[in-house]
Structure formats: C-alpha cells, structure tokens
C-alpha cells in the first residue's frame, strides 16, 4: 500500500453570511411571518392548539428581530461587538407596541 501525502492548504473562510445579507434575510423573514400571521389570524385564534402554534410562530419573529438588530450593531460598531441585554428588552417592547397597534 502506498500512502499519498499531499500538502493541504487551509484557507480561512467566513462561517456565515455577512451582516448586510443577514439583515436583509431577517427583515424579509420577519415581515413574511408577520404578514402570514395577520392573514391567518382568524384560523390561528380559532382554538387552543392553533393559539399555541401562533405563539410558536411568533417566537420566531423575536429571534429574527434580535438577529437583525445584532447585524445592524455589528455593521455600525464592528464585527467584534457582542449583543447585550438591552437589545432583547427593547425588541420585546417594540414588538409589543407594534402588535397592540395593529
């Protein structure tokens, strides 16, 4: 048996998307989920299992909004920036106000 030895070159590639793509994807997904929940609001509030499903779907809006806010902060403050608790609090308050007014 012969063992072939090759020199492997390791290149550093980014693991995920850049901040602008992440922001666009999160914004688009949030709007689509919110619009879908508005369209199917009668069905989602018809019985208890559907209400639980609506809550599960709504929790994804929270995750996408937090990811979008973090992408904005990383664009403005650099890639080494880490989110703090204030973003989560402000995101919950803004989402509550938007939901109440619609």
């Amino acid at each position: 048996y012969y063992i072939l030895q090759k020199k492997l070159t390791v290149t550093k590639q980014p693991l995920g998307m850049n901040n602008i793509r992440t922001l666009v994807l999160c914004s688009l997904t949030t709007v689509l989920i919110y619009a879908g929940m508005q369209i199917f609001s009668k069905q989602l509030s018809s019985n208890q299992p559907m209400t639980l499903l609506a809550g599960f779907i709504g929790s994804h809006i929270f995750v996408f909004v937090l990811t979008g806010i973090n992408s904005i902060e990383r664009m403005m403050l650099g890639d080494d920036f880490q989110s703090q608790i204030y973003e989560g609090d402000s995101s919950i308050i803004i989402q509550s106000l938007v939901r109440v007014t619609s």
Side-chain angles (χ1 to χ4, degrees), residues 17-30 64-65 67-73 75:
M17 295 187 292
N18 62 10
N19 293 329
I20 294 175
R21 287 183 184 167
T22 303
L23 177 61
V24 169
L25 184 66
C26 288
S27 300
L28 184 64
T29 307
T30 300
F64 288 124
V65 167
T67 305
I69 290 172
N70 190 20
S71 295
I72 292 171
E73 289 174 343
M75 282 190 301

mmCIF file of all heavy atoms in Angstrom, residues 17-30 64-65 67-73 75:
data_model
loop_
_atom_site.group_PDB
_atom_site.id
_atom_site.type_symbol
_atom_site.label_atom_id
_atom_site.label_comp_id
_atom_site.label_asym_id
_atom_site.label_seq_id
_atom_site.Cartn_x
_atom_site.Cartn_y
_atom_site.Cartn_z
ATOM 1 N N MET A 17 -23.070 34.264 6.786
ATOM 2 C CA MET A 17 -23.289 35.366 5.854
ATOM 3 C C MET A 17 -22.739 36.658 6.452
ATOM 4 O O MET A 17 -22.549 36.765 7.665
ATOM 5 C CB MET A 17 -24.784 35.521 5.599
ATOM 6 C CG MET A 17 -25.403 34.347 4.898
ATOM 7 S SD MET A 17 -27.101 34.647 4.426
ATOM 8 C CE MET A 17 -27.914 34.731 5.989
ATOM 9 N N ASN A 18 -22.552 37.638 5.577
ATOM 10 C CA ASN A 18 -22.115 38.920 6.100
ATOM 11 C C ASN A 18 -23.311 39.648 6.717
ATOM 12 O O ASN A 18 -24.452 39.206 6.633
ATOM 13 C CB ASN A 18 -21.427 39.758 5.021
ATOM 14 C CG ASN A 18 -22.349 40.096 3.865
ATOM 15 O OD1 ASN A 18 -23.545 39.875 3.931
ATOM 16 N ND2 ASN A 18 -21.774 40.643 2.815
ATOM 17 N N ASN A 19 -23.051 40.782 7.341
ATOM 18 C CA ASN A 19 -24.070 41.465 8.121
ATOM 19 C C ASN A 19 -25.219 41.998 7.270
ATOM 20 O O ASN A 19 -26.369 41.956 7.698
ATOM 21 C CB ASN A 19 -23.432 42.608 8.912
ATOM 22 C CG ASN A 19 -22.490 42.087 9.966
ATOM 23 O OD1 ASN A 19 -22.703 41.011 10.502
ATOM 24 N ND2 ASN A 19 -21.447 42.829 10.253
ATOM 25 N N ILE A 20 -24.925 42.483 6.075
ATOM 26 C CA ILE A 20 -25.987 43.047 5.246
ATOM 27 C C ILE A 20 -26.939 41.946 4.775
ATOM 28 O O ILE A 20 -28.159 42.106 4.818
ATOM 29 C CB ILE A 20 -25.385 43.818 4.055
ATOM 30 C CG1 ILE A 20 -24.633 45.033 4.568
ATOM 31 C CG2 ILE A 20 -26.461 44.232 3.071
ATOM 32 C CD1 ILE A 20 -23.895 45.803 3.510
ATOM 33 N N ARG A 21 -26.383 40.824 4.352
ATOM 34 C CA ARG A 21 -27.241 39.711 3.925
ATOM 35 C C ARG A 21 -28.079 39.188 5.078
ATOM 36 O O ARG A 21 -29.255 38.847 4.913
ATOM 37 C CB ARG A 21 -26.400 38.580 3.361
ATOM 38 C CG ARG A 21 -25.833 38.874 2.016
ATOM 39 C CD ARG A 21 -25.069 37.691 1.492
ATOM 40 N NE ARG A 21 -24.434 38.012 0.237
ATOM 41 C CZ ARG A 21 -23.516 37.274 -0.329
ATOM 42 N NH1 ARG A 21 -23.109 36.165 0.257
ATOM 43 N NH2 ARG A 21 -22.981 37.629 -1.471
ATOM 44 N N THR A 22 -27.490 39.099 6.256
ATOM 45 C CA THR A 22 -28.222 38.650 7.423
ATOM 46 C C THR A 22 -29.354 39.604 7.755
ATOM 47 O O THR A 22 -30.476 39.182 8.049
ATOM 48 C CB THR A 22 -27.279 38.513 8.630
ATOM 49 O OG1 THR A 22 -26.222 37.626 8.295
ATOM 50 C CG2 THR A 22 -28.000 37.983 9.843
ATOM 51 N N LEU A 23 -29.080 40.904 7.696
ATOM 52 C CA LEU A 23 -30.101 41.896 7.984
ATOM 53 C C LEU A 23 -31.254 41.814 6.991
ATOM 54 O O LEU A 23 -32.425 41.828 7.377
ATOM 55 C CB LEU A 23 -29.493 43.297 7.973
ATOM 56 C CG LEU A 23 -30.461 44.452 8.197
ATOM 57 C CD1 LEU A 23 -31.126 44.347 9.558
ATOM 58 C CD2 LEU A 23 -29.732 45.775 8.049
ATOM 59 N N VAL A 24 -30.940 41.691 5.711
ATOM 60 C CA VAL A 24 -31.985 41.599 4.690
ATOM 61 C C VAL A 24 -32.804 40.326 4.877
ATOM 62 O O VAL A 24 -34.042 40.355 4.828
ATOM 63 C CB VAL A 24 -31.365 41.666 3.278
ATOM 64 C CG1 VAL A 24 -32.380 41.305 2.215
ATOM 65 C CG2 VAL A 24 -30.781 43.035 3.023
ATOM 66 N N LEU A 25 -32.140 39.213 5.113
ATOM 67 C CA LEU A 25 -32.841 37.943 5.287
ATOM 68 C C LEU A 25 -33.730 37.965 6.529
ATOM 69 O O LEU A 25 -34.883 37.523 6.483
ATOM 70 C CB LEU A 25 -31.841 36.793 5.368
ATOM 71 C CG LEU A 25 -32.434 35.398 5.463
ATOM 72 C CD1 LEU A 25 -33.178 35.049 4.185
ATOM 73 C CD2 LEU A 25 -31.350 34.388 5.731
ATOM 74 N N CYS A 26 -33.219 38.496 7.625
ATOM 75 C CA CYS A 26 -34.014 38.569 8.856
ATOM 76 C C CYS A 26 -35.202 39.506 8.696
ATOM 77 O O CYS A 26 -36.305 39.197 9.158
ATOM 78 C CB CYS A 26 -33.140 39.022 10.018
ATOM 79 S SG CYS A 26 -31.984 37.773 10.559
ATOM 80 N N SER A 27 -35.002 40.638 8.052
ATOM 81 C CA SER A 27 -36.099 41.585 7.839
ATOM 82 C C SER A 27 -37.178 40.973 6.955
ATOM 83 O O SER A 27 -38.374 41.062 7.258
ATOM 84 C CB SER A 27 -35.574 42.869 7.206
ATOM 85 O OG SER A 27 -34.620 43.468 8.025
ATOM 86 N N LEU A 28 -36.764 40.347 5.877
ATOM 87 C CA LEU A 28 -37.718 39.732 4.967
ATOM 88 C C LEU A 28 -38.491 38.607 5.644
ATOM 89 O O LEU A 28 -39.723 38.509 5.520
ATOM 90 C CB LEU A 28 -36.984 39.203 3.730
ATOM 91 C CG LEU A 28 -37.846 38.603 2.639
ATOM 92 C CD1 LEU A 28 -38.767 39.657 2.044
ATOM 93 C CD2 LEU A 28 -36.968 38.005 1.571
ATOM 94 N N THR A 29 -37.796 37.778 6.390
ATOM 95 C CA THR A 29 -38.450 36.672 7.076
ATOM 96 C C THR A 29 -39.421 37.179 8.136
ATOM 97 O O THR A 29 -40.528 36.649 8.278
ATOM 98 C CB THR A 29 -37.403 35.742 7.713
ATOM 99 O OG1 THR A 29 -36.452 35.358 6.726
ATOM 100 C CG2 THR A 29 -38.040 34.509 8.293
ATOM 101 N N THR A 30 -39.033 38.217 8.871
ATOM 102 C CA THR A 30 -39.912 38.782 9.886
ATOM 103 C C THR A 30 -41.187 39.335 9.267
ATOM 104 O O THR A 30 -42.295 39.079 9.758
ATOM 105 C CB THR A 30 -39.180 39.897 10.659
ATOM 106 O OG1 THR A 30 -38.021 39.334 11.285
ATOM 107 C CG2 THR A 30 -40.065 40.516 11.701
ATOM 108 N N PHE A 64 -35.713 36.485 14.873
ATOM 109 C CA PHE A 64 -35.252 37.171 13.671
ATOM 110 C C PHE A 64 -35.035 38.657 13.911
ATOM 111 O O PHE A 64 -34.104 39.247 13.353
ATOM 112 C CB PHE A 64 -36.223 36.942 12.506
ATOM 113 C CG PHE A 64 -36.155 35.548 11.959
ATOM 114 C CD1 PHE A 64 -37.283 34.763 11.892
ATOM 115 C CD2 PHE A 64 -34.959 35.021 11.511
ATOM 116 C CE1 PHE A 64 -37.229 33.473 11.396
ATOM 117 C CE2 PHE A 64 -34.887 33.732 11.005
ATOM 118 C CZ PHE A 64 -36.027 32.961 10.945
ATOM 119 N N VAL A 65 -35.866 39.281 14.744
ATOM 120 C CA VAL A 65 -35.666 40.702 15.060
ATOM 121 C C VAL A 65 -34.369 40.883 15.850
ATOM 122 O O VAL A 65 -33.588 41.805 15.584
ATOM 123 C CB VAL A 65 -36.881 41.270 15.823
ATOM 124 C CG1 VAL A 65 -36.572 42.624 16.424
ATOM 125 C CG2 VAL A 65 -38.069 41.376 14.898
ATOM 126 N N THR A 67 -31.733 38.980 15.744
ATOM 127 C CA THR A 67 -30.624 38.757 14.825
ATOM 128 C C THR A 67 -30.420 39.959 13.922
ATOM 129 O O THR A 67 -29.282 40.360 13.644
ATOM 130 C CB THR A 67 -30.883 37.494 13.981
ATOM 131 O OG1 THR A 67 -31.135 36.395 14.857
ATOM 132 C CG2 THR A 67 -29.704 37.168 13.099
ATOM 133 N N GLY A 68 -31.508 40.571 13.461
ATOM 134 C CA GLY A 68 -31.407 41.776 12.641
ATOM 135 C C GLY A 68 -30.793 42.943 13.395
ATOM 136 O O GLY A 68 -29.949 43.669 12.863
ATOM 137 N N ILE A 69 -31.205 43.131 14.646
ATOM 138 C CA ILE A 69 -30.634 44.208 15.464
ATOM 139 C C ILE A 69 -29.149 43.970 15.675
ATOM 140 O O ILE A 69 -28.334 44.902 15.586
ATOM 141 C CB ILE A 69 -31.382 44.310 16.808
ATOM 142 C CG1 ILE A 69 -32.784 44.853 16.587
ATOM 143 C CG2 ILE A 69 -30.629 45.196 17.786
ATOM 144 C CD1 ILE A 69 -33.658 44.815 17.825
ATOM 145 N N ASN A 70 -28.772 42.735 15.935
ATOM 146 C CA ASN A 70 -27.358 42.422 16.117
ATOM 147 C C ASN A 70 -26.567 42.683 14.838
ATOM 148 O O ASN A 70 -25.431 43.149 14.880
ATOM 149 C CB ASN A 70 -27.196 40.974 16.560
ATOM 150 C CG ASN A 70 -25.780 40.671 16.993
ATOM 151 O OD1 ASN A 70 -25.015 41.564 17.310
ATOM 152 N ND2 ASN A 70 -25.437 39.405 17.007
ATOM 153 N N SER A 71 -27.155 42.405 13.677
ATOM 154 C CA SER A 71 -26.467 42.669 12.411
ATOM 155 C C SER A 71 -26.241 44.159 12.206
ATOM 156 O O SER A 71 -25.167 44.573 11.759
ATOM 157 C CB SER A 71 -27.289 42.114 11.245
ATOM 158 O OG SER A 71 -27.358 40.730 11.322
ATOM 159 N N ILE A 72 -27.240 44.966 12.556
ATOM 160 C CA ILE A 72 -27.083 46.423 12.456
ATOM 161 C C ILE A 72 -25.971 46.905 13.374
ATOM 162 O O ILE A 72 -25.116 47.710 12.986
ATOM 163 C CB ILE A 72 -28.413 47.133 12.785
ATOM 164 C CG1 ILE A 72 -29.448 46.847 11.713
ATOM 165 C CG2 ILE A 72 -28.207 48.640 12.933
ATOM 166 C CD1 ILE A 72 -30.842 47.318 12.062
ATOM 167 N N GLU A 73 -25.956 46.404 14.601
ATOM 168 C CA GLU A 73 -24.923 46.813 15.550
ATOM 169 C C GLU A 73 -23.536 46.395 15.089
ATOM 170 O O GLU A 73 -22.571 47.147 15.246
ATOM 171 C CB GLU A 73 -25.221 46.219 16.921
ATOM 172 C CG GLU A 73 -26.417 46.846 17.591
ATOM 173 C CD GLU A 73 -26.787 46.149 18.871
ATOM 174 O OE1 GLU A 73 -26.345 45.000 19.087
ATOM 175 O OE2 GLU A 73 -27.516 46.761 19.662
ATOM 176 N N MET A 75 -22.582 46.027 12.006
ATOM 177 C CA MET A 75 -22.190 46.888 10.886
ATOM 178 C C MET A 75 -21.700 48.239 11.399
ATOM 179 O O MET A 75 -20.745 48.797 10.880
ATOM 180 C CB MET A 75 -23.368 47.097 9.936
ATOM 181 C CG MET A 75 -23.626 45.936 9.024
ATOM 182 S SD MET A 75 -24.816 46.268 7.724
ATOM 183 C CE MET A 75 -26.273 46.723 8.598
#
